[in-house]
Amino acid sequence: MKKHVVQLLDTYHKRARQIAVLRYELSAPVKITEEEMIDTLQFAHQEGTGHTEGHISNKTPYIALNYREKAGLLNAEVLSEISLELMELEKEQQRLEYYISLLEPRQEQVLRRTCFEKAAQEAVAEELGVTVRRVQDIKAQAISELAEMYGLITGRK
């Protein structure tokens, strides 16, 4: 469980970036417009099939109508997938931040400064008026306590 907690702390910024990207994609999703697809269908033909240039198959209008429906479903599916992934990442991030807020103030400060703000342990030690070894001990204890918290929800330690 400690490895899991360390991995969560190490990937905090990566998750934050993923959350920002997904939020943007959710607010401004990339979609293929119906017109783009219909234009593609109208003028697409295989080489050497014997069709004359500019010939439009009588199947094209049916394909275009079906495409409109399918495009709407596909676009909705993409938005749903983005929403689901975003919710999972945000939930994981919020859980980590909440559990850290439950730690003793000094443990919380050490984790926030060393993991989230990427401050050097020497700088944190100076801020707290302790040795670097003491900062390492505080961080290790904080990680152990976080592992216990995560163990409560998963039933493992």
Side-chain angles (χ1 to χ4, degrees):
M1 191 51 68
K2 284 184 183 181
K3 286 182 181 180
H4 177 67
V5 170
V6 169
Q7 189 260 344
L8 287 172
L9 292 168
D10 289 344
T11 57
Y12 178 84
H13 289 286
K14 180 181 177 183
R15 263 191 321 282
R17 185 174 49 248
Q18 289 172 323
I19 288 169
V21 168
L22 291 173
R23 280 183 183 160
Y24 175 79
E25 290 301 325
L26 199 57
S27 70
V30 175
K31 295 181 181 180
I32 295 176
T33 66
E34 295 172 7
E35 291 77 19
E36 289 172 327
M37 189 56 159
I38 291 170
D39 287 345
T40 302
L41 291 172
Q42 284 178 341
F43 297 108
H45 68 280
Q46 294 176 340
E47 289 185 34
T49 58
H51 290 101
T52 59
E53 219 171 293
H55 173 75
I56 298 174
S57 167
N58 61 356
K59 295 178 185 176
T60 301
Y62 299 111
I63 294 170
L65 290 174
N66 283 333
Y67 173 75
R68 284 186 180 142
E69 182 180 327
K70 290 193 188 278
L73 292 173
L74 289 174
N75 285 332
E77 187 177 312
V78 167
L79 289 177
S80 176
E81 289 174 9
I82 289 172
S83 296
L84 182 61
E85 187 175 351
L86 178 61
M87 284 179 14
E88 289 174 9
L89 287 170
E90 285 179 330
K91 187 168 91 174
E92 190 65 57
Q93 204 79 327
Q94 289 168 354
R95 177 180 288 128
L96 178 62
E97 290 174 3
Y98 179 71
Y99 287 175
I100 288 174
S101 75
L102 296 177
L103 296 171
E104 293 176 18
R106 190 173 248 192
Q107 291 173 332
E108 178 181 2
Q109 183 180 7
V110 166
L111 283 183
R112 289 191 184 281
R113 292 284 292 130
T114 59
C115 298
F116 296 172
E117 299 171 19
K118 300 289 186 190
Q121 290 184 357
E122 293 79 10
V124 176
E126 190 175 317
E127 290 170 15
L128 295 176
V130 297
T131 64
V132 172
R133 178 69 187 147
R134 181 67 185 130
V135 168
Q136 293 168 345
D137 290 343
I138 293 170
K139 184 176 179 180
Q141 181 61 37
I143 289 171
S144 292
E145 290 186 27
L146 286 174
E148 285 180 29
M149 290 182 214
Y150 275 96
L152 293 172
I153 61 166
T154 61
R156 53 185 182 177
K157 296 210 179 203

